[in-house]
Amino acid sequence: VWLIGARGSVATTTIAGAAAVHNELAPPTGLVTALPVFAPIPLPDLSRLVFGGHDLTSTPLPKRAEALAAAGVLPAALLGVVTDALEAADADIRAGVDATSDEPPMAAIERIQTDLAAFVAAHDLDGLVVINCATTEAPLRPDPVHDDLDALQGTLAAGRPVLPPSSVYAYAALDAGWPFVDFTPSTGARLPALAALAVARRVPHAGRDGKTGETLVKAALAAMFADRNLAVRSWSGTNLLGGGDGASLAAPGPAASKLRSKRVALDAILGSRIEGDVHIGHVAHLGEWKTAWDLITFEGFLGVGMRLQFTWEGADSALAAPLVLDLARLMLAAHHAGQLGAVRPLAFFFKDPEPGAEHRLDRQWAALVAWATGLSRR
Amino acid sequence: VWLIGARGSVATTTIAGAAAVHNELAPPTGLVTALPVFAPIPLPDLSRLVFGGHDLTSTPLPKRAEALAAAGVLPAALLGVVTDALEAADADIRAGVDATSDEPPMAAIERIQTDLAAFVAAHDLDGLVVINCATTEAPLRPDPVHDDLDALQGTLAAGRPVLPPSSVYAYAALDAGWPFVDFTPSTGARLPALAALAVARRVPHAGRDGKTGETLVKAALAAMFADRNLAVRSWSGTNLLGGGDGASLAAPGPAASKLRSKRVALDAILGSRIEGDVHIGHVAHLGEWKTAWDLITFEGFLGVGMRLQFTWEGADSALAAPLVLDLARLMLAAHHAGQLGAVRPLAFFFKDPEPGAEHRLDRQWAALVAWATGLSRR
Amino acid sequence: VWLIGARGSVATTTIAGAAAVHNELAPPTGLVTALPVFAPIPLPDLSRLVFGGHDLTSTPLPKRAEALAAAGVLPAALLGVVTDALEAADADIRAGVDATSDEPPMAAIERIQTDLAAFVAAHDLDGLVVINCATTEAPLRPDPVHDDLDALQGTLAAGRPVLPPSSVYAYAALDAGWPFVDFTPSTGARLPALAALAVARRVPHAGRDGKTGETLVKAALAAMFADRNLAVRSWSGTNLLGGGDGASLAAPGPAASKLRSKRVALDAILGSRIEGDVHIGHVAHLGEWKTAWDLITFEGFLGVGMRLQFTWEGADSALAAPLVLDLARLMLAAHHAGQLGAVRPLAFFFKDPEPGAEHRLDRQWAALVAWATGLSRR
Amino acid sequence: VWLIGARGSVATTTIAGAAAVHNELAPPTGLVTALPVFAPIPLPDLSRLVFGGHDLTSTPLPKRAEALAAAGVLPAALLGVVTDALEAADADIRAGVDATSDEPPMAAIERIQTDLAAFVAAHDLDGLVVINCATTEAPLRPDPVHDDLDALQGTLAAGRPVLPPSSVYAYAALDAGWPFVDFTPSTGARLPALAALAVARRVPHAGRDGKTGETLVKAALAAMFADRNLAVRSWSGTNLLGGGDGASLAAPGPAASKLRSKRVALDAILGSRIEGDVHIGHVAHLGEWKTAWDLITFEGFLGVGMRLQFTWEGADSALAAPLVLDLARLMLAAHHAGQLGAVRPLAFFFKDPEPGAEHRLDRQWAALVAWATGLSRR
């Protein structure tokens, strides 16, 4: 498992948690693929996963884990027993792509592919999946070359930086024949040219933006309102986030990416543009924690107005990390089973799944189970 | 449609709303059977429904509707246009069964059956469904005769009052060959002897306790926690209710019925007895409105503790009335289609469906749609 | 009582409510000056107040009142009995100052003063107070002439529009010898040159931004945290507003005025810049209603983190209107008693009182009572 | 400082916290007497306080502190540095009064007095205060001897157990000439006979039931509603508590004591019996934490209905411990200054202060400051 943003909170929790769970120091809570319904499916065991990745920072993983433990997001009691695993992964972290450097895009792509190949060789791996957990990028400025693989390749070869880092990673992974997952709202593989590349190289990809908190609740509740024929009139949300994630998401560029991603499910499930906005605020004191408050106004029989509000208090990395492991296991199995292109049945995991995918949480779940069960029969 | 508790808030809203919707003075918000997926199914149109019922009070329906309008639960603008419908139904309300009188049970049953037959004859109806919307009863004291139809009939013939009013109505309806629905947590047809009677008379029945608010949200959210393998550690609820409903539900007997009913879904979906209680409080000032607050504590990856809380503010009768209409339409169609005994696919509508029925809201919905679609093919 | 924005929600509720209360059709709920502690103070009775004002719109007051009744902010039952009062006031509404017209500032001031004089003469009034309840303006661009009365008068005479409408009204009122109150976050009399004018003309003024909801709760809770020596670490607020008020306040300019005003109390009471922002969102479906959600994180003994959150659901005009009547009564009495300049003891009513005024709600209350009691002794 | 329930959460946090704060390992957050306004008052410094007490359990204080650290209520980093202080106090804990034993009351009283005298002698103390932090008792069954000191003494001498443990401690302390504080809703010194004893022995006493969370917020908000003349129509509260405290408080007897105590402030401030109840629920999973949710419905101008709800999430012992230190310091100073009988100005600290004391938080604060400032002048 190759993680982009390998020294961030999500990646650190992912690596520490995989070690803790496969050593039976913690139950697999939050790990969807640990549910009984997935037992017959030939997914790689957690104990067989090896972690590495790219990052721009140099704080070693064990130190990052200490900070997470101090914030209450990693149990302090686990720190000692997962240090080996963290150190091992830290030794496999390479310098990432820096959007502010003048490294030519093709040089960056080749460098990444060299890193991936070395990782596979060093650990004698029989599969690899690249998962983006790095900081959210601002929305991408459209460019016609994004729509055509030949044009894109020509432009990159000419040294013009038309791809954001997330898409540089996606290109490198897909081109090298490895599956790619975007767990963030960044562009990643969500460009026609990269979709074509995935099909050409016969590899699967999935994304985007892991559905970890408020949007998860939204998807569950929106389906409830729809099935009861209750008329939702407004749905307003406030997300207060601490830490680095909060600071970067509250900046206008990434906020635009995130907010667009958060709107998708509601409109898809309730069938029309529902009034109300999502607001993201940065509150450093919240640290690794996040609080979301949503107010939903709706009408019942004869137009009688009613309201539902909820407050969600969660630790983002503890919600995200098991899903990263789920996606790693499922994508490795999918690749092995010969799946290629966008994997729509993974919509259950994402805020902004492939266009045309299902958005209702219940139907996403059914689609996921049906698809995964299909894998087991190959 | 024959309503027990025909002058209560739910019944009044049901009758007024049916008139408003079929005259296109209000959209069918909250009416599940008005969703497009039910369009191909041959359900009786709202305009064809005729209302009557039993009640112990004498406040006429138009007066009750005025009180509901003053409380903001019925739009004042509708009052004028539904008065005719309310007056017509009020003329078909007969004196109900009084638990405190010494009327022998068989006399009560025969009286009810006479009322039902007269109603059918007067309006030349080609179907009838009896729906209990009366005040919740205390839990029933078990008696061996409840388990055996012959023994029950003998006991009733002997004049021993072993059935609560809700079950007297159920007996009368089923015995006369008409479907029975219990929209309350009372006993109704939920006795082996009455289940046997329904099969013997080849009529369907359904229940119990309409799922109108907090429990609806619970069923949607519990499925979300289950599918994400998040470990719910406690689920506590507080229900504040005004009006007569609040006063009666906060009394120990009915509260016991209600609370048991409210626990069912959670335990069924989350697979173990989750800590936490439901508290019902009476706040007269809330009038026809209800406020529920739920606190859910759960653990994510590595046991990290998180929490979700929600506040639901709704008008119970505006939530219940369209479901009463849905159940009337579906049960009339089911009877017509030859269904008999307990109709498990109607679990979507109930807090405490038949033992063995599905409790997850999403699967209840799928089961409902599949079943109803089957009706259309007969 | 001369209201700027005389056809808005607040003004309409003020005029209708004054009529309802002095005719004993409604109790004086929300009217601070109706509390027993104010009984000995010679405040003008509600029955003696006469209303007029300026506005730019032409929707007559009775029609505006109907809309408020439909929104549930005015009891429908009162509509009939206050129509006369609304019609009488409507006849005394004159065209306001239009920021987009090219009317020279001195011409506008003279026009306003003529309107005020005519109103006083027509009703043979022995006092007048001008209260601004109009839409919030964007923050004022600073100009040196704002600091000096002579310079300001010269600039206005030269036809340069350096004053926003709220300050044009303030100038006109103070210059004519009538007290001025700003119930909005606009500039009003909050300029050194206008403060000097008030002193020169020996009239009192007060402001600004009526403290009607979230900020009221904030001021009460902030004092609690301070007195318990609990360390507030962040205080984040979300305000969702419907109607015209929501649309205008969510626009960047007025939002800036409002948000600055909402920060003042917290910083003043808790002694340092507390982290967290106030967000204003417009949700048209909320109509005349407002919902605010605040999350406060704080530390107790030994740095243990805790949190308080609250949701406030109120009708802004029903909260503001009685305070407008309070301010009218108190300012008329203050003028009568010879008070001049900024009246700091009225800080209880404002989000952003005069610099140097008290911000803790409890001390504001004590200061108000002490000051008002002093008036009674003159 | 002699603590009853000396090995409970509150006492452990009190002792650990006093050591942490006077060694400047933690700021005095939550300690009211650390506010600048108390600086001129000659209160005993935290470094001069010595702790001992009674308890029935034998879990040593350092072990209890570890459990609190695991629950996140004591910072783990402090554990090491306060161990000495905890061990020292633990050595001064003696076996408490067991309500289920047949120890004659006078024997118990003499035993307690011997323990107190030994503690004073061993540490050469120049003052002592006894503070009850033990588990809440059920309401006391009234007995005529409670009203008369002579009768009470006769009855106790005769061996009849008419006093609950909290009052046995109060008797022993007051009779020996030491001040007594009840931080719980138990009876303690709240009996006419014990009040007479305090006056006879010329010692002060105070109580009861520390105002740590929901009731604190209530007292602040109720004053706000009162001063704004807003008509509170209902105030309902739900308290969910974990740990041993939750289990014991949710039991009918102690719950009755607690709930009565929680009602007092509201009725006193808002002037009439406000509708709505307080519900206490036990949720073991909450551990040392407590969540309270309150719904307040109120009317504004013209009877328009509005609502405020709040959720308080706190750690009870972290809220209580600094108040125990405040009360210790203030009572020692009061005793030194010659105060005797019930100290009403300490109402700020209690849910259920002496009859006749002030209940509004703001006035309680003013009374506290005025009284304490008076102490400094002696």
Side-chain angles (χ1 to χ4, degrees):
Chain A
V1 185
W2 191 263
L3 302 169
I4 312 304
R7 290 192 173 111
S9 300
V10 172
T12 308
T13 309
T14 300
I15 299 166
V21 172
H22 85 72
N23 288 315
E24 301 191 355
L25 302 165
T29 311
L31 206 69
V32 174
T33 52
L35 287 168
V37 72
F38 292 94
I41 301 165
L43 301 176
D45 194 78
L46 289 187
S47 63
R48 295 185 54 217
L49 300 183
V50 184
F51 295 89
H54 282 108
D55 207 317
L56 288 170
T57 65
S58 55
T59 314
L61 282 170
K63 195 153 178 188
R64 193 82 188 76
E66 279 169 36
L68 289 171
V73 174
L74 270 185
L78 282 183
L79 272 195
V81 291
V82 299
T83 303
D84 287 356
L86 291 168
E87 281 175 356
D90 201 66
D92 276 319
I93 298 181
R94 304 287 169 260
V97 175
D98 184 350
T100 65
S101 87
D102 52 3
E103 186 179 29
M106 271 304 177
I109 288 167
E110 280 158 28
R111 183 164 64 83
I112 295 166
Q113 290 178 336
T114 306
D115 290 340
L116 297 180
F119 182 63
V120 169
H123 296 282
D124 192 20
L125 304 174
D126 55 7
L128 182 78
V129 58
V130 175
I131 306 184
N132 181 24
C133 310
T135 306
T136 297
E137 299 164 356
L140 181 63
R141 183 191 307 252
D143 190 306
V145 305
H146 293 153
D147 297 340
D148 182 85
L149 181 55
D150 286 342
L152 176 64
Q153 288 173 326
T155 307
L156 294 175
R160 191 151 71 86
V162 290
L163 291 184
S166 64
S167 299
V168 168
Y169 288 114
Y171 188 105
L174 298 172
D175 183 52
W178 302 124
F180 177 85
V181 176
D182 205 323
F183 203 76
T184 80
S186 299
T187 306
R190 186 66 62 83
L191 291 174
L194 295 183
L197 179 63
V199 173
R201 296 296 182 268
R202 306 193 62 79
V203 281
H205 60 93
R208 67 186 175 189
D209 203 5
K211 184 158 61 189
T212 53
E214 184 205 19
T215 314
L216 176 68
V217 180
K218 253 181 177 163
L221 291 177
M224 176 193 85
F225 286 112
D227 288 351
R228 276 297 173 94
N229 201 8
L230 296 167
V232 173
R233 288 294 176 229
S234 74
W235 196 311
S236 308
T238 288
N239 286 264
L240 303 178
L241 303 100
D245 204 33
S248 68
L249 281 176
S257 300
K258 195 81 186 176
L259 297 178
R260 186 210 46 208
S261 179
K262 279 174 162 284
R263 290 274 351 161
V264 175
L266 217 54
D267 294 349
I269 299 171
L270 296 175
S272 61
R273 184 66 170 74
I274 302 294
E275 201 194 356
D277 292 311
V278 176
H279 166 70
I280 297 183
H282 177 228
V283 180
H285 185 249
L286 294 179
E288 297 288 330
W289 294 78
K290 175 177 152 179
T291 297
W293 173 76
D294 275 36
L295 172 68
I296 306 128
T297 63
F298 62 98
E299 290 176 7
F301 202 42
L302 308 179
V304 174
M306 314 195 193
R307 35 178 58 206
L308 174 63
Q309 54 183 286
F310 69 83
T311 303
W312 169 272
E313 294 161 284
D316 230 43
S317 53
L319 290 159
L323 304 183
V324 169
L325 293 174
D326 285 327
L327 286 164
R329 300 179 77 194
L330 291 163
M331 286 297 275
L332 287 167
H335 191 204
H336 195 72
Q339 300 254 332
L340 58 96
V343 185
R344 278 190 178 67
L346 292 173
F348 179 73
F349 294 99
F350 298 112
K351 286 195 195 75
D352 180 17
E354 292 296 321
E358 176 60 52
H359 279 85
R360 289 175 52 124
L361 192 67
D362 54 348
R363 292 187 194 152
Q364 289 179 334
W365 169 252
L368 171 67
V369 171
W371 170 80
T373 306
L375 288 181
S376 70
R377 287 201 225 93
R378 280 162 217 236
Chain B
V1 185
W2 191 263
L3 302 169
I4 312 304
R7 289 188 173 115
S9 299
V10 172
T12 309
T13 308
T14 300
I15 299 164
V21 172
H22 86 72
N23 287 315
E24 301 191 356
L25 301 165
T29 309
L31 206 69
V32 174
T33 51
L35 286 169
V37 72
F38 291 94
I41 302 164
L43 302 175
D45 195 77
L46 289 188
S47 63
R48 297 183 55 217
L49 300 183
V50 184
F51 296 89
H54 282 109
D55 207 317
L56 289 169
T57 65
S58 56
T59 315
L61 283 171
K63 195 151 179 188
R64 193 82 187 76
E66 279 170 35
L68 289 171
V73 173
L74 270 184
L78 281 183
L79 273 195
V81 290
V82 299
T83 303
D84 286 357
L86 291 168
E87 281 176 354
D90 201 66
D92 275 318
I93 297 180
R94 303 289 169 260
V97 174
D98 184 351
T100 65
S101 87
D102 53 3
E103 184 180 30
M106 272 304 177
I109 288 167
E110 280 158 28
R111 183 166 62 82
I112 295 166
Q113 291 179 335
T114 307
D115 290 340
L116 297 180
F119 182 64
V120 169
H123 297 282
D124 192 20
L125 304 175
D126 56 7
L128 182 79
V129 57
V130 175
I131 305 184
N132 181 24
C133 310
T135 305
T136 297
E137 297 165 356
L140 182 63
R141 184 190 308 253
D143 191 306
V145 305
H146 294 152
D147 297 339
D148 182 86
L149 182 54
D150 286 343
L152 176 65
Q153 288 173 326
T155 308
L156 294 176
R160 191 152 71 85
V162 290
L163 292 184
S166 64
S167 300
V168 167
Y169 288 115
Y171 188 106
L174 297 172
D175 182 53
W178 302 123
F180 177 84
V181 176
D182 205 322
F183 202 76
T184 80
S186 299
T187 306
R190 187 66 61 85
L191 291 175
L194 295 183
L197 179 63
V199 173
R201 296 294 183 272
R202 306 194 61 79
V203 281
H205 59 94
R208 67 185 175 188
D209 203 5
K211 185 158 60 190
T212 52
E214 184 206 17
T215 313
L216 175 68
V217 180
K218 253 182 176 161
L221 291 177
M224 177 194 83
F225 285 113
D227 287 351
R228 277 295 173 97
N229 200 10
L230 296 167
V232 173
R233 289 294 175 230
S234 73
W235 195 311
S236 308
T238 289
N239 286 264
L240 304 178
L241 304 99
D245 205 31
S248 68
L249 280 176
S257 301
K258 195 80 187 176
L259 296 178
R260 186 210 44 209
S261 178
K262 278 174 162 284
R263 289 276 348 164
V264 175
L266 217 53
D267 295 347
I269 298 172
L270 296 175
S272 61
R273 185 66 170 73
I274 302 294
E275 201 193 355
D277 292 310
V278 177
H279 166 70
I280 296 184
H282 178 229
V283 180
H285 184 248
L286 294 180
E288 297 287 330
W289 294 78
K290 175 177 153 180
T291 297
W293 173 78
D294 275 37
L295 173 68
I296 305 128
T297 64
F298 63 99
E299 290 175 7
F301 202 40
L302 307 178
V304 174
M306 314 194 192
R307 35 178 58 206
L308 173 64
Q309 54 182 286
F310 68 83
T311 303
W312 168 273
E313 294 162 284
D316 230 43
S317 54
L319 289 159
L323 304 183
V324 169
L325 293 174
D326 285 326
L327 286 164
R329 299 179 78 195
L330 291 163
M331 286 296 276
L332 287 167
H335 191 204
H336 195 73
Q339 301 255 332
L340 58 95
V343 185
R344 278 188 178 68
L346 291 173
F348 179 73
F349 294 100
F350 298 112
K351 286 196 196 71
D352 180 17
E354 291 296 322
E358 176 60 52
H359 279 86
R360 289 175 51 124
L361 192 67
D362 54 348
R363 293 188 192 151
Q364 290 178 333
W365 169 253
L368 171 66
V369 171
W371 170 80
T373 307
L375 289 182
S376 70
R377 285 200 227 96
R378 282 161 213 236
Chain C
V1 184
W2 191 264
L3 302 169
I4 312 304
R7 289 188 173 114
S9 298
V10 172
T12 309
T13 309
T14 301
I15 298 165
V21 172
H22 86 71
N23 287 315
E24 300 190 357
L25 303 164
T29 310
L31 205 70
V32 173
T33 51
L35 286 168
V37 72
F38 291 94
I41 301 165
L43 302 175
D45 195 77
L46 289 187
S47 64
R48 295 184 55 216
L49 300 183
V50 183
F51 296 89
H54 282 109
D55 207 318
L56 289 169
T57 64
S58 55
T59 315
L61 283 170
K63 194 152 179 187
R64 193 81 187 77
E66 280 169 34
L68 289 171
V73 173
L74 270 184
L78 282 183
L79 272 195
V81 290
V82 299
T83 303
D84 286 357
L86 290 168
E87 281 176 354
D90 202 66
D92 275 318
I93 297 181
R94 302 288 169 261
V97 174
D98 184 350
T100 64
S101 88
D102 53 3
E103 185 180 28
M106 272 304 177
I109 288 167
E110 279 159 28
R111 184 164 63 83
I112 295 165
Q113 291 179 335
T114 306
D115 290 341
L116 298 180
F119 181 64
V120 169
H123 296 283
D124 193 19
L125 304 174
D126 56 7
L128 182 78
V129 57
V130 175
I131 305 183
N132 181 24
C133 309
T135 305
T136 297
E137 297 165 356
L140 182 63
R141 184 190 308 251
D143 191 306
V145 305
H146 294 152
D147 297 339
D148 182 85
L149 181 54
D150 286 342
L152 177 64
Q153 289 173 326
T155 308
L156 294 175
R160 191 152 70 86
V162 290
L163 291 184
S166 64
S167 300
V168 167
Y169 288 114
Y171 188 105
L174 297 173
D175 183 53
W178 302 123
F180 177 85
V181 176
D182 205 323
F183 203 76
T184 80
S186 300
T187 306
R190 187 66 61 84
L191 291 174
L194 295 182
L197 179 63
V199 173
R201 296 294 182 271
R202 306 194 61 78
V203 281
H205 59 95
R208 66 185 176 190
D209 203 5
K211 185 158 59 189
T212 52
E214 184 205 20
T215 313
L216 176 68
V217 181
K218 254 182 176 163
L221 291 177
M224 177 194 84
F225 285 112
D227 287 351
R228 277 297 174 97
N229 200 9
L230 296 167
V232 173
R233 290 293 176 231
S234 74
W235 196 310
S236 309
T238 289
N239 286 264
L240 304 177
L241 304 100
D245 204 31
S248 68
L249 280 177
S257 301
K258 195 81 187 175
L259 296 178
R260 187 209 44 210
S261 178
K262 278 174 163 284
R263 290 275 350 162
V264 176
L266 217 53
D267 295 347
I269 299 172
L270 295 175
S272 61
R273 184 65 171 73
I274 302 295
E275 201 194 355
D277 292 310
V278 176
H279 166 70
I280 297 183
H282 177 228
V283 180
H285 185 248
L286 294 179
E288 297 288 329
W289 294 78
K290 175 176 153 179
T291 297
W293 173 77
D294 275 35
L295 172 68
I296 305 128
T297 64
F298 63 98
E299 290 175 8
F301 202 40
L302 307 178
V304 174
M306 314 194 191
R307 34 178 58 206
L308 173 64
Q309 54 183 286
F310 68 83
T311 304
W312 169 272
E313 294 162 283
D316 231 43
S317 54
L319 289 159
L323 304 183
V324 169
L325 293 174
D326 285 326
L327 285 163
R329 300 179 77 195
L330 290 163
M331 286 296 275
L332 287 167
H335 191 204
H336 195 73
Q339 301 254 332
L340 58 96
V343 185
R344 279 189 178 67
L346 291 173
F348 179 73
F349 294 100
F350 298 111
K351 287 197 196 71
D352 179 17
E354 291 296 322
E358 176 59 53
H359 279 86
R360 289 175 52 124
L361 193 66
D362 54 349
R363 293 188 193 151
Q364 290 178 334
W365 170 253
L368 171 66
V369 171
W371 170 80
T373 307
L375 290 182
S376 70
R377 286 201 226 95
R378 283 162 213 232
Chain D
V1 184
W2 191 262
L3 302 169
I4 312 304
R7 291 190 173 112
S9 299
V10 172
T12 308
T13 309
T14 300
I15 298 165
V21 172
H22 85 73
N23 287 315
E24 300 190 356
L25 302 164
T29 310
L31 206 69
V32 173
T33 51
L35 286 168
V37 72
F38 292 94
I41 302 164
L43 302 176
D45 194 77
L46 289 187
S47 63
R48 296 184 55 215
L49 300 183
V50 184
F51 296 89
H54 282 109
D55 207 318
L56 288 170
T57 65
S58 55
T59 314
L61 282 171
K63 194 152 178 187
R64 193 82 187 76
E66 279 169 35
L68 289 171
V73 173
L74 269 184
L78 282 183
L79 273 195
V81 291
V82 299
T83 303
D84 286 357
L86 291 168
E87 281 175 356
D90 202 66
D92 276 318
I93 298 181
R94 304 287 169 261
V97 175
D98 184 350
T100 65
S101 89
D102 53 4
E103 185 179 29
M106 270 304 176
I109 288 167
E110 280 157 29
R111 183 164 64 82
I112 295 166
Q113 290 178 336
T114 306
D115 290 341
L116 297 180
F119 181 62
V120 168
H123 296 282
D124 192 20
L125 304 174
D126 56 7
L128 182 78
V129 59
V130 175
I131 306 184
N132 181 24
C133 309
T135 305
T136 297
E137 298 164 355
L140 182 63
R141 184 190 307 252
D143 190 306
V145 305
H146 293 152
D147 297 338
D148 182 86
L149 181 55
D150 286 342
L152 176 65
Q153 288 173 326
T155 308
L156 293 175
R160 191 152 71 86
V162 289
L163 291 184
S166 65
S167 300
V168 168
Y169 288 114
Y171 188 104
L174 297 173
D175 183 51
W178 302 122
F180 177 84
V181 176
D182 205 323
F183 202 77
T184 80
S186 299
T187 306
R190 186 67 62 84
L191 292 174
L194 295 183
L197 179 62
V199 172
R201 296 294 183 273
R202 307 194 62 77
V203 281
H205 60 93
R208 67 186 174 187
D209 202 5
K211 184 157 61 189
T212 53
E214 184 204 18
T215 314
L216 175 69
V217 180
K218 254 182 175 162
L221 291 177
M224 176 193 84
F225 286 112
D227 288 350
R228 276 297 173 95
N229 200 9
L230 296 167
V232 173
R233 289 293 175 231
S234 74
W235 195 311
S236 308
T238 289
N239 286 264
L240 303 178
L241 303 100
D245 204 33
S248 68
L249 281 176
S257 300
K258 194 81 187 173
L259 296 178
R260 186 211 44 208
S261 178
K262 279 174 162 285
R263 290 277 346 164
V264 176
L266 217 54
D267 294 348
I269 299 172
L270 295 175
S272 60
R273 185 67 170 74
I274 302 294
E275 200 192 356
D277 292 310
V278 176
H279 166 70
I280 296 183
H282 177 228
V283 180
H285 185 248
L286 293 180
E288 296 288 331
W289 294 78
K290 175 177 153 179
T291 297
W293 173 77
D294 275 37
L295 172 68
I296 306 128
T297 63
F298 63 98
E299 290 176 6
F301 202 42
L302 308 179
V304 174
M306 314 194 192
R307 35 178 58 205
L308 174 63
Q309 53 183 288
F310 68 83
T311 304
W312 168 272
E313 295 161 284
D316 231 43
S317 54
L319 289 159
L323 305 183
V324 169
L325 293 174
D326 285 327
L327 286 164
R329 299 178 78 195
L330 290 163
M331 286 296 275
L332 287 167
H335 191 204
H336 195 73
Q339 300 255 331
L340 59 95
V343 185
R344 279 190 177 68
L346 291 172
F348 179 73
F349 293 99
F350 298 112
K351 285 196 196 73
D352 180 18
E354 292 295 322
E358 176 60 52
H359 279 85
R360 288 176 51 125
L361 193 67
D362 53 349
R363 292 187 194 154
Q364 289 179 333
W365 169 252
L368 171 66
V369 171
W371 170 80
T373 306
L375 289 182
S376 70
R377 285 200 226 94
R378 282 161 216 237

